[in-house]
Amino acid sequence: MPAAHAGTPAQPPMPDAFNLTTVATDPAIVATNTPTNFVITVTTPQVAGTHHIRIILPADYYTNTGKRYPVLYFLHGASDNPANPYLAWPAVLDASARSSMITVEPDGGLRGWYANWLDQGTSAKAQNWENFHINQVIPFIDADLRTIPDKAHRAIAGLSMGGFGAMHYAQDHPELFSQVASLSGAIDLSRDSMDVRMAAVGTLTNGAGVLCGSASDPSCPSGFGPTVSSDALFGTPYPFSVFYPFSDVLWNAADPSTHMAKLAGMGISIYVGNGGGNPVNMEFWAESASGHVKANLDALGMPYHYVDYGNGAGWGACDGGHDGKCWAADMVDFVPRLEAAFGA
């Protein structure tokens, strides 16, 4: 970590723990670090390679040393990297940077899908993202920062692929989170949203432009890492229902939309636009997926906060697309509501 400038605090020490090993961070990334917004780099046996974790601390973290803080875990989308300051996430997290909570954005891989892959023997090597985040990152943060380490003061949110991750983790681990939010999330992987499921498959098989604002978006590369089988994540995604009625059972088990009852008692927020009605824009399909989730919540009689801002008119600088302008506006709405929930 860089030395603190005169009059500014040093970043908190974050020693190795929970089978995470901190390693040197690229100097170009270190140069952008500040005491309250910085990236650390870790390795873990659970996921191949090195992984960045961005940490944003409240403005009073170093001056109010007796205070402990709630934590928002924010999960990025496909092709994103929490260490890259030029992608959409800085605008998304700007609202939380000014808030009274700690925000943590862990690496989710270019297409890690916030899950433990079924096939650990692909050219991508170890891909146990859920183990990494739940069993390592969360206790690591609680050990090294002044968090309030309980369910009532811990939230999880994410955009696009990360919207799926947030719902998936909240459903798998309801004892950990009191609030969950999806921003333009891929939150329906059931047979009702085969378009979204196939977009996920596209990231595995390196289909260009999937789950990005547009194929020409410089933040959306055509490669998501080593090409792997469509079955690597949750087994076969194809519902050969006549002869193999359980062929896609793991996709259905991981699908958030049909398991919303697992979020009973949790605050649920969903934000989505319509992509301008253009099927080329991923937001068009995200709206459909979010609509299915809303319908299932209504059927269960569960409360939620749902915003469909359509083409973005009146929603900050949003254009209704699958992009950071809309996600920034989502956060302007979400963060104060989250703060109020934490305060309660």
Side-chain angles (χ1 to χ4, degrees):
M1 293 182 182
H5 298 293
T8 63
Q11 295 165 17
M14 306 196 75
D16 299 349
F18 303 99
N19 219 15
L20 288 183
T21 302
T22 55
V23 297
T25 300
D26 186 288
I29 297 172
V30 171
T32 69
N33 282 352
T34 73
T36 56
N37 186 338
F38 57 90
V39 172
I40 64 170
T41 306
V42 300
T43 60
T44 168
Q46 295 298 326
V47 186
T50 58
H51 305 286
H52 301 119
I53 303 173
R54 182 169 292 277
I55 297 168
I56 299 177
L57 301 176
D60 67 346
Y61 187 86
Y62 296 102
T63 56
N64 198 348
T65 56
K67 184 177 180 180
R68 304 187 75 87
Y69 300 85
V71 184
L72 167 63
Y73 287 88
F74 192 87
L75 308 181
H76 64 74
S79 85
D80 210 342
N81 179 345
N84 188 338
Y86 301 107
L87 295 181
W89 71 261
V92 174
L93 297 182
D94 182 57
S96 58
R98 298 191 302 272
S99 73
S100 58
M101 69 189 75
I102 295 169
T103 302
V104 178
E105 186 183 16
D107 185 13
L110 297 177
R111 43 81 192 279
W113 282 99
Y114 300 99
N116 298 333
W117 288 21
L118 176 65
D119 187 353
Q120 296 292 317
T122 73
S123 55
K125 301 182 181 178
Q127 297 289 302
N128 289 309
W129 294 95
E130 187 166 353
N131 289 352
F132 170 41
H133 295 135
I134 300 298
N135 300 332
Q136 297 182 296
V137 172
I138 290 177
F140 177 77
I141 292 298
D142 284 340
D144 291 340
L145 299 177
R146 295 197 316 274
T147 69
I148 305 174
D150 62 23
K151 169 188 173 83
H153 297 91
R154 189 183 295 119
I156 190 161
L159 61 87
S160 194
M161 178 182 77
F164 163 81
M167 291 287 183
H168 176 61
Y169 285 173
Q171 290 177 345
D172 273 10
H173 307 278
E175 75 284 359
L176 292 179
F177 307 103
S178 60
Q179 299 284 327
V180 59
S182 165
L183 286 60
S184 306
I187 53 177
D188 187 354
L189 296 184
S190 74
R191 297 180 183 183
D192 293 333
S193 286
M194 287 300 293
D195 39 28
V196 177
R197 186 187 291 192
M198 289 302 100
V201 169
T203 65
L204 301 173
T205 59
N206 270 310
V210 292
L211 290 172
C212 300
S214 69
S216 61
D217 184 345
S219 70
C220 184
S222 59
F224 292 88
T227 298
V228 298
S229 163
S230 61
D231 297 3
L233 179 57
F234 298 128
T236 179
Y238 307 110
F240 301 119
S241 56
V242 175
F243 302 105
Y244 304 101
F246 305 112
S247 58
D248 59 346
V249 62
L250 295 183
W251 285 87
N252 296 322
D255 163 50
S257 71
T258 51
H259 298 95
M260 299 308 290
K262 293 182 177 181
L263 301 181
M266 198 176 300
I268 303 169
S269 299
I270 300 171
Y271 299 89
V272 74
N274 65 12
N278 184 356
V280 174
N281 192 304
M282 185 61 201
E283 197 70 10
F284 178 89
W285 306 106
E287 183 185 46
S288 175
S290 295
H292 294 158
V293 171
K294 181 181 184 299
N296 290 337
L297 286 168
D298 286 338
L300 291 166
M302 292 173 61
Y304 56 87
H305 179 75
Y306 188 90
V307 178
D308 185 337
Y309 42 80
N311 65 5
W315 194 246
C318 174
D319 57 4
H322 202 68
D323 55 55
K325 296 188 293 292
C326 298
W327 300 327
D330 298 346
M331 291 297 281
V332 168
D333 181 81
F334 175 61
V335 169
R337 295 178 49 256
L338 182 57
E339 289 183 301
F342 282 152

